[in-house]
């Protein structure tokens, strides 16, 4: 009996891979310190949570600040080393690929279109509750008709790994500098996308 294409992650077999965008697949050099300073957001507080805590009349300006920074980031974004080739390997092997990002949908699409990235399944912050909520990951699992346990989510920050855990997916920590800052939350840790090697049945 043929085995569906997939890949092994720390002895776990997965048949679909979802990626975070900024800081994982691409480097848009977003300066969160500058964003927080412009918003008046305290250090260490999540920017989106801070905006939601503002008086309703002030929230549109807060979102405009984030959108402007995201768009500037989208216009200068570059692939992370090996990311584009990794996506192509997975697609060639017949493994579904998706993106779940906290960025706005238009800015995420601009980033990928500028870089020539073709991702059919893209969910942004307008589409689901922001990570670490599992909603977006579970939506993609349903769309693919796969159990969450058969999928992996790759990201560079604790919200990504917490979202994967909340969705009962394999959490893959992309840690190119080897900081191990969030490795305790991950099922698997990679420093380069060459480590994601697909297998075919």
């Amino acid at each position: 009996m043929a085995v569906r294409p997939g890949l092994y992650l720390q002895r776990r077999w997965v048949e679909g891979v979802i990626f975070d965008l900024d800081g994982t697949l691409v480097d848009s050099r977003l300066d969160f310190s500058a964003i927080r300073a412009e918003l008046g957001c305290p250090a260490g507080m999540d920017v989106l949570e801070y905006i939601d805590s503002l008086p309703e009349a002030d929230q549109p300006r807060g979102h405009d600040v984030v959108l402007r920074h995201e768009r500037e980031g989208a216009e200068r974004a570059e692939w992370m080393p090996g990311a584009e080739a990794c996506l192509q390997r997975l697609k060639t092997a017949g493994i579904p690929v998706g993106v779940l990002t906290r960025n706005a949908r238009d800015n995420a699409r601009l980033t990928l279109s500028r870089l020539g990235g073709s991702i059919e399944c893209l969910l942004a912050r307008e589409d689901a509750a922001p990570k670490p909520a599992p909603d977006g990951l579970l939506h993609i699992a349903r769309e693919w008709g796969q159990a969450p346990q058969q999928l992996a989510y790759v990201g560079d920050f604790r919200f990504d790994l917490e979202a994967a855990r909340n969705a009962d997916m394999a959490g893959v920590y992309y840690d190119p500098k080897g900081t191990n800052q969030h490795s305790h939350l991950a099922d698997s840790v990679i420093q380069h996308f060459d480590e994601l090697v697909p297998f075919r049945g």
Side-chain angles (χ1 to χ4, degrees):
M1 179 177 174
V3 178
R4 291 173 64 178
L7 61 163
Y8 283 110
L9 296 172
Q10 294 292 98
R11 299 179 300 278
R12 184 167 175 173
W13 179 256
V14 299
E15 297 178 354
V17 185
I18 307 164
F19 293 88
D20 174 46
L21 186 60
D22 187 60
T24 302
L25 287 179
V26 305
D27 180 9
S28 58
R29 299 184 295 282
L30 280 179
D31 187 342
F32 285 100
S33 295
I35 296 173
R36 287 191 175 91
E38 189 169 347
L39 290 172
C41 175
M45 184 173 185
D46 178 66
V47 168
L48 297 181
E49 288 182 7
Y50 174 74
I51 293 172
D52 287 342
S53 75
L54 294 173
E56 190 170 343
D58 296 332
Q59 291 181 17
R61 176 194 166 272
H63 287 297
D64 286 344
V65 168
V66 173
L67 285 168
R68 173 165 44 81
H69 281 272
E70 284 182 355
R71 183 170 185 85
E72 291 170 356
E75 291 171 346
R76 62 175 175 251
E78 298 177 351
W79 288 113
M80 288 293 195
E84 185 178 18
C86 175
L87 294 177
Q88 189 56 54
R89 281 197 306 273
L90 295 173
K91 290 180 181 179
T92 299
I95 297 170
V97 172
V99 166
L100 173 67
T101 176
R102 283 165 59 101
N103 288 2
R105 187 188 306 115
D106 286 348
N107 290 330
R109 286 177 174 164
L110 174 61
T111 298
L112 291 169
S113 65
R114 274 194 59 255
L115 295 175
S118 176
I119 304 287
E120 293 182 7
C121 182
L122 168 65
L123 263 65
R125 67 169 170 262
E126 297 96 330
D127 302 311
K131 299 171 290 185
D135 304 42
L137 294 176
L138 294 174
H139 176 94
I140 293 174
R142 289 191 299 270
E143 186 173 306
W144 288 349
Q146 292 181 287
Q149 298 84 356
Q150 295 175 307
L151 306 177
Y153 185 48
V154 184
D156 68 307
F157 189 58
R158 65 180 179 88
F159 286 165
D160 304 315
L161 303 171
E162 290 168 354
R165 183 170 292 184
N166 291 337
D168 203 17
M169 290 184 185
V172 180
Y173 178 32
Y174 175 59
D175 185 22
K177 296 182 179 178
T179 65
N180 290 317
Q181 185 177 5
H182 306 300
S183 55
H184 63 288
L185 297 170
D187 297 293
S188 181
V189 180
I190 62 170
Q191 287 189 263
H192 196 281
F193 286 104
D194 287 350
E195 297 173 63
L196 295 180
V197 181
F199 294 87
R200 301 191 201 193

